[in-house]
Amino acid sequence: MLDKNGIAKRIAKEVKDGYYVNLGIGIPTLVANFVRDDIEVEFQSENGVLGMGPFPFEGEEDADIINAGKQTITTLPGASFFDSATSFGMIRGQHVHLTILGAMEVAENGDIANWKIPGKMVKGMGGAMDLVASAENIIVAMMHTNKRGESKLLKKCSLPLTGVGCVKKVVSNLAVLEVTKNGFRLLERAPGVSVEEIKKATEGNLIVEGDIPEMAID
Amino acid sequence: MIKKTVSGVDEALRGVSSGMTMMLGGFGLCGIPENSIAKLVALGVKDLTCISNNAGVDDFGLGLLLQQKQIKKMISSYVGENDEFERQMLSGELDVELIPQGTLAERCRAAQGGFPAIYTPAGYGTEVAEGKETREFDGKMYVLEHAFKADFAFVKAWKGDEAGNLIFKGTARNFNPCMCGAAKITVAEVEELVPAGTLDPNQIHIPGIFVQRIFQGQIYEKRIEQRTVRQRS
């Protein structure tokens, strides 16, 4: 089974040379730490920066340079700043190649819910609805089950949707899955996790064809 | 040169009254019009509708207006950092309309640029699209979203000149340029106000035509919401 860093490490392998990538808050943010350093990638943050770098050294924080998680950041050579409309133009216009975000639930048809738990949590969707409605390639980073052990990969989402039929791939603590028109196709197992365990943790239709390899992380 | 300078925040907010709709720039606490917000608190105007990406934190930014119960309705994309906000929302004191962030930006820009409405794919098939007109273009579904109508837009820039030309810094730019000229009156507060002719016209982010009043803010606290640093190796 993977921990959060393991999920991020596996997703980092999906990041290709020349990609502009938008990383959501949480596990997706960790992906930046594991991208190969022999490829050129630029990270976009929807609050208005392309070419995001690491956190600043202590004493060098600038209140005017933050990411979408409101954390102080730095920029790398080649970076640019822009307004929010331009930023979402990059996203809606599909100039950003890959979007990685978290989810509370994903359905077998690619629906995603990640912004609201009625009566409990209403923080808002931020940029998530724009991202999922527009991005060509969306990978979801998530835990396969909730704290009570119930599946988060469902036949149908129970929470208010963020977007419909948009998720292409899911990397969870248990597996890598592709969303197809017939359901979740199992591509890889996390180290030490059996196909049976993944079946048990997946409520939505799981397609298992042939031998399922264990994912290579390092 | 058409001069946009006013003497200070008092003159800049002349005409503000209860029940108005306000746009306020900023992302989190980054690039918020601190001086205009402080003045809105001091004026005590009530029943405001505020269009702003976030709602500040409990004791800073728009949180200050929430504390005084001056806001009737918030139109935002993310409001997660404010307990008082959550309390007022759950108790029904505060009306909240949550909309996708890109839609928020584009509804401002539509108002600025003379479009009555725009089509966006964001929110299609979700509760955000309920009751709204939808339309298919090239096999994909879009939601019709209307331009905002606001009385005042309060924006914050880094530098500005007497003609109202603005330059922003870093990610403090965010929604500020989109809101300029998107309301009946745009009030720009800047960290540094310079004479016309000082700023290079090639470097202007927002031309002064979109700004009615400009002043230099007295104090900028520029609070950091999440201070994240790395260790020197």
Side-chain angles (χ1 to χ4, degrees), chain B residues 55-211:
Chain B
V57 294
D58 279 315
D59 61 345
F60 200 57
L62 285 183
L64 299 169
L65 284 167
L66 285 163
Q67 265 182 14
Q68 303 302 318
K69 307 221 168 89
Q70 291 174 264
I71 302 178
K72 179 183 70 178
K73 181 176 182 182
M74 277 296 312
I75 301 174
S76 304
S77 86
Y78 190 83
V79 292
E81 329 289 347
N82 193 317
D83 293 338
E84 175 62 12
F85 183 98
E86 207 167 342
R87 194 196 64 71
Q88 289 186 23
M89 178 169 64
L90 293 172
S91 71
E93 290 165 64
L94 181 68
D95 186 9
V96 179
E97 186 182 343
L98 291 168
I99 61 172
Q101 197 172 126
T103 301
L104 177 61
E106 217 55 46
R107 288 176 69 184
C108 293
R109 196 160 70 163
Q112 176 193 65
F115 291 110
I118 51 111
Y119 279 105
T120 176
Y124 176 76
T126 75
E127 63 180 54
V128 162
E130 280 170 20
K132 290 176 185 163
E133 194 180 319
T134 56
R135 187 169 163 179
E136 185 182 327
F137 293 92
D138 297 326
K140 191 174 161 101
M141 294 304 295
Y142 295 81
V143 185
L144 188 72
E145 295 279 5
H146 290 261
F148 284 124
K149 287 189 168 66
D151 298 294
F152 275 85
F154 295 105
V155 304
K156 190 259 167 181
W158 180 36
K159 290 179 183 177
D161 69 13
E162 294 168 293
N165 296 308
L166 303 177
I167 296 176
F168 302 90
K169 177 173 161 257
T171 54
R173 191 180 319 189
N174 57 63
F175 286 84
N176 287 298
C178 312
M179 290 176 173
C180 290
K184 286 177 196 155
I185 295 174
T186 297
V187 174
E189 57 174 87
V190 296
E191 286 177 53
E192 193 184 343
L193 184 61
V194 299
T198 312
L199 302 176
D200 176 356
N202 288 301
Q203 306 297 326
I204 301 295
H205 293 139
I206 281 291
I209 191 169
F210 292 120
V211 174

Side-chain angles (χ1 to χ4, degrees), chain A residues 55 61 64 72 116 123 133, chain B residues 79 140 222 227-228 230:
Chain A
F55 294 148
E61 312 93 284
D64 290 331
T72 45
K116 184 179 183 182
K123 291 181 184 298
Chain B
V79 292
K140 191 174 161 101
K222 291 205 196 180
R227 187 180 299 275
T228 44
R230 78 189 130 131

